[in-house]
Amino acid sequence: MTIPLEDWIYASVASLTLLITLGFGEWLRRSKNWPAEVTRKMIHVSTGILIYFAPLYLSSFVIPFAVGIFFAAVNFVAIHRGLLKVIHASNRKSYGTVYYPLSFSLLTLICWDSSPLVLMCAMVALAFGDGAAGIVGSWMNKPHEYRVCADKKSVEGSFAMGLVCFAGIALTLGIFGDRMSWNRIAEIAFVASVIAVVMEAVSPFGLDNITVPFSAACIVFAMTYATAAEHLLIGLFLATAVSAAAYYLQMLSASGAMGAIVLGTLFFGLGGWPWTLPLLIFFISGSLLSKLGQKQKDAMEMEKGSRRDLAQVFANGGLPLMVFLAGYFYPMEVWFYIFVAICASVTADTWATEIGTFFGGIPRNIINWKQVKPGVSGGITFQGTCGALVGSGLIAFTAIQDLKLALTITLCGLFGSLWDSLLGAAWQAQYECAVCGISTERKNHCESWTTRRKGFAWMDNDAVNVLGGATGGLTMFLFLNF
């Protein structure tokens, strides 16, 4: 492939500008005692300006793609060698400077030829919006801080990010896009900016440099090139309203509410009620049932309570989202049946736990049938199994009108729930407290670290839930094909 001379000139000027910006930022940090976070974000924004205009001046994606990969590698080495303090002297552990050019390279590879406008909007969210959040948060004397995941964020920074994203995406679509009404542009910019702010809030350790641009790119693409603008806007409002109510009723934590907004917006906005209803029934029914047995669960010191966090939301909703997106981009009826079977499995598991906890019974290990203490992973009861069957059937018969398919999905959901229990009994991590001697799923107990006695360290309750749901979906796939 022959690369035009103009591309080399633009790349050279951009690289020289970046080096000058790095030197200026280092001078401000050392001589003027500017906070490292401010100089880092200043370089973050300056680099974004160069990247933003690249599709307008470069004819090929080869140079920007290669440059992004190169700087990702350089920054990775610099972090481990303690170099380039001007961009790596952050007050928190972060690989954000690696994710930043990596995101640009991947988006360049995906969007350069087919939808450069999407790439530009994604870089608005990444470079300008995220940069504004960091700069405003650092300059404020007493910002109103909040914590959703590991990193602290500020209300003022998130608000600034939303405004900058909205204005930048709207102007990009208005100036460089096809002729769209300003109402349509405002809708797209509003949904994309809200989702970008949410993803920035819930992404720890610099991962927002991946989640923010990719989520903004997905929203802009769907609302610009697909016919989902109104649905996405409605989905955003509905998901926000339901998540806010769930947070107020203590069904979701702050991080869980953020994750539910993202999932709800995508499911309703791109799939409508058929894809949204099964997950909505799972969430509402599971949350209400969890309130019934909360006292019993507290007494048993069960690890998961009634308030779902971000990990739980994506453990139960992440796999359905992947199947949904596969069905969205490669439409086939089989994807919907697999999706419903996964929802039936996670619902069956939740109902089994909550019904079994509330109504009691003698739990027995699903492998050797020995009696175990209530709340121990892998223990099942007759009452809980009946609850699993009812929960799975509720999802199946609500989503599927065909009797044979609904019955099949009900059994797939029950099987997924039982497989969940099998995984919990055989391979889920179990720890022992050195202080009180109790067996627990928690890594910390009695204010001290516990010791793993069985299972794999990575196989926690969320991992078991994902694998249990996958089993229900795989069983349905096998039934449909064989």
Side-chain angles (χ1 to χ4, degrees), residues 79-100:
I79 290 174
H80 287 273
R81 296 291 181 87
L83 305 175
L84 296 176
K85 294 292 185 180
V86 65
I87 58 174
H88 296 131
S90 177
N91 56 6
R92 64 185 188 276
K93 180 183 177 181
S94 172
Y95 282 91
T97 54
V98 177
Y99 301 143
Y100 186 107

Side-chain angles (χ1 to χ4, degrees), residues 61-401:
F61 74 92
V62 174
I63 289 181
F65 174 79
V67 169
I69 296 296
F70 172 76
F71 275 103
V74 168
N75 286 333
F76 181 81
V77 173
I79 290 174
H80 287 273
R81 296 291 181 87
L83 305 175
L84 296 176
K85 294 292 185 180
V86 65
I87 58 174
H88 296 131
S90 177
N91 56 6
R92 64 185 188 276
K93 180 183 177 181
S94 172
Y95 282 91
T97 54
V98 177
Y99 301 143
Y100 186 107
L102 187 61
S103 293
F104 168 65
S105 291
L106 294 176
L107 283 168
T108 298
L109 190 64
I110 296 170
C111 301
W112 189 272
D113 292 326
S114 60
S115 49
L117 191 68
V118 172
L119 171 62
M120 296 173 70
C121 290
M123 295 314 301
V124 165
L126 173 60
F128 308 142
D130 188 41
I135 292 173
V136 171
S138 298
W139 274 118
M140 295 287 295
N141 290 327
K142 293 182 178 180
H144 296 80
E145 293 182 333
Y146 66 93
R147 188 193 300 270
V148 177
C149 292
D151 297 339
K152 287 184 178 179
K153 310 291 182 180
S154 70
V155 174
E156 293 82 359
S158 296
F159 185 73
M161 177 181 179
L163 286 179
V164 171
C165 282
F166 177 82
I169 292 174
L171 289 173
T172 300
L173 295 175
I175 296 173
F176 302 108
D178 295 330
R179 294 180 179 178
M180 287 188 291
S181 69
W182 280 105
N183 288 337
R184 179 77 180 277
I185 290 174
E187 289 177 353
I188 298 171
F190 178 72
V191 175
S193 60
V194 170
I195 295 298
V197 169
V198 170
M199 296 310 296
E200 195 269 343
V202 303
S203 302
F205 311 129
L207 282 171
D208 53 317
N209 283 347
I210 292 179
T211 59
V212 166
F214 273 91
S215 60
C218 288
I219 296 298
V220 172
F221 176 81
M223 297 185 71
T224 303
Y225 297 99
T227 58
E230 293 79 11
H231 282 166
L232 278 170
L233 188 61
I234 295 172
L236 174 62
F237 281 112
L238 289 177
T240 302
V242 171
S243 300
Y247 176 77
Y248 177 78
L249 296 173
Q250 297 189 337
M251 295 177 178
L252 289 173
S253 67
S255 65
M258 295 291 189
I261 290 174
V262 174
L263 289 179
T265 300
L266 291 175
F267 274 110
F268 186 84
L270 301 180
W273 280 115
W275 292 86
T276 307
L277 194 58
L279 275 179
L280 191 62
I281 292 174
F282 155 70
F283 166 68
I284 294 177
S285 66
S287 298
L288 292 176
L289 285 175
S290 67
K291 295 294 183 181
L292 295 177
Q294 188 58 48
K295 292 183 180 180
Q296 293 91 325
K297 284 188 288 185
D298 291 340
M300 299 173 197
E301 293 192 322
M302 292 177 68
E303 185 175 3
K304 297 297 182 182
S306 62
R307 200 167 195 180
R308 302 175 190 274
D309 58 18
L310 180 67
Q312 289 172 278
V313 168
F314 278 97
N316 292 307
L319 186 59
L321 177 63
M322 293 173 63
V323 174
F324 163 68
L325 291 176
Y328 180 77
F329 289 107
Y330 303 97
M332 288 188 293
E333 198 172 23
V334 64
W335 291 118
F336 182 70
Y337 298 138
I338 295 173
F339 166 80
V340 177
I342 295 173
C343 294
S345 296
V346 295
T347 304
D349 176 61
T350 300
W351 278 53
T353 300
E354 304 303 342
I355 296 295
T357 301
F358 182 74
F359 287 102
I362 300 175
R364 295 187 178 275
N365 187 290
I366 191 173
I367 295 177
N368 55 31
W369 211 244
K370 292 181 179 179
Q371 184 174 339
V372 295
K373 294 180 180 179
V376 173
S377 295
I380 63 173
T381 63
F382 174 75
Q383 294 90 330
T385 304
C386 291
L389 186 62
V390 174
S392 180
L394 176 64
I395 296 295
F397 282 90
T398 302
I400 305 296
Q401 305 303 316

